[in-house]
Amino acid sequence: MSKKLSIIAFSGEFDKLTAVFTLATGAAAVGYEVNIFFTFWGLDAIKKKKGRSFVGGTWLTKIFGFMMGGLHATPTSRFNFCGIGPSIFRRLMRKNNVATLEELVEAAKALGINLYACEMAMHVLGLKKEDFIPEVKDVLGVATFLQLSEGGRTLFI
């Protein structure tokens, strides 16, 4: 196996996205090639708009776009406490000198981690490449992502 880590980011939840970016930045820091494939709710982590916005083509996809809310509105998978869970975690992370989710995303950009958006999920959710941060390298189908991942380890989070 080569020093390659590929992560499928399916979840848009704060704690799971934190795990995605912690593993990705840690692997990149020790010389791994890292690819992250964002699909469905995971796409929320790479949206350009920071808050809730009506992105998408139809009224239904615009509602999904609004509900997703972007990186700063991600809920926790447990103990969300009506939306304050991520704020509590961010405070605990800062108190314990642990990088926050937003800091991990910035580190991923700085480390040159390859960020990819899932073409099929984008079609379903009515999203376009322009809806994502400029660091998204490409929009891919599953077959192409599997080719990129070949020879390394792949995780699904």
Side-chain angles (χ1 to χ4, degrees):
M1 281 201 157
S2 64
K3 289 180 71 171
K4 183 189 304 187
L5 176 64
S6 298
I7 303 172
I8 301 164
F10 172 77
S11 174
E13 295 168 321
F14 178 87
D15 44 324
K16 293 177 184 173
L17 287 172
T18 299
V20 165
F21 284 100
T22 299
L23 290 165
T25 55
V30 294
Y32 278 65
E33 172 191 333
V34 181
N35 304 300
I36 307 176
F37 184 67
F38 297 90
T39 187
F40 283 97
W41 310 126
L43 289 168
D44 213 22
I46 54 172
K47 277 176 48 181
K48 191 182 295 181
K49 294 198 175 183
K50 303 254 186 246
R52 297 195 183 280
S53 60
F54 290 101
V55 293
T58 67
W59 67 271
L60 187 56
T61 58
K62 286 180 184 196
I63 290 171
F64 276 129
F66 181 79
M67 289 181 352
M68 287 172 69
L71 188 64
H72 301 290
T74 59
T76 54
S77 62
R78 296 184 63 183
F79 308 116
N80 194 42
F81 302 117
C82 299
I84 63 167
S87 296
I88 293 168
F89 278 108
R90 282 183 185 95
R91 188 172 346 120
L92 289 170
M93 292 165 102
R94 280 190 291 276
K95 180 181 177 185
N96 290 288
N97 295 319
V98 173
T100 64
L101 175 56
E102 291 79 10
E103 292 167 339
L104 289 167
V105 171
E106 289 305 312
K109 293 175 189 178
L111 288 164
I113 289 172
N114 300 310
L115 309 177
Y116 299 104
C118 174
E119 182 178 39
M120 184 267 306
M122 286 174 57
H123 287 309
V124 171
L125 297 171
L127 299 169
K128 299 181 216 110
K129 189 166 192 263
E130 302 82 54
D131 295 322
F132 300 109
I133 57 176
E135 291 81 7
V136 172
K137 192 170 186 176
D138 207 354
V139 174
L140 306 176
V142 171
T144 305
F145 178 71
L146 291 173
Q147 280 181 320
L148 285 171
S149 302
E150 195 170 334
R153 297 189 185 274
T154 302
L155 303 174
F156 183 87
I157 301 175

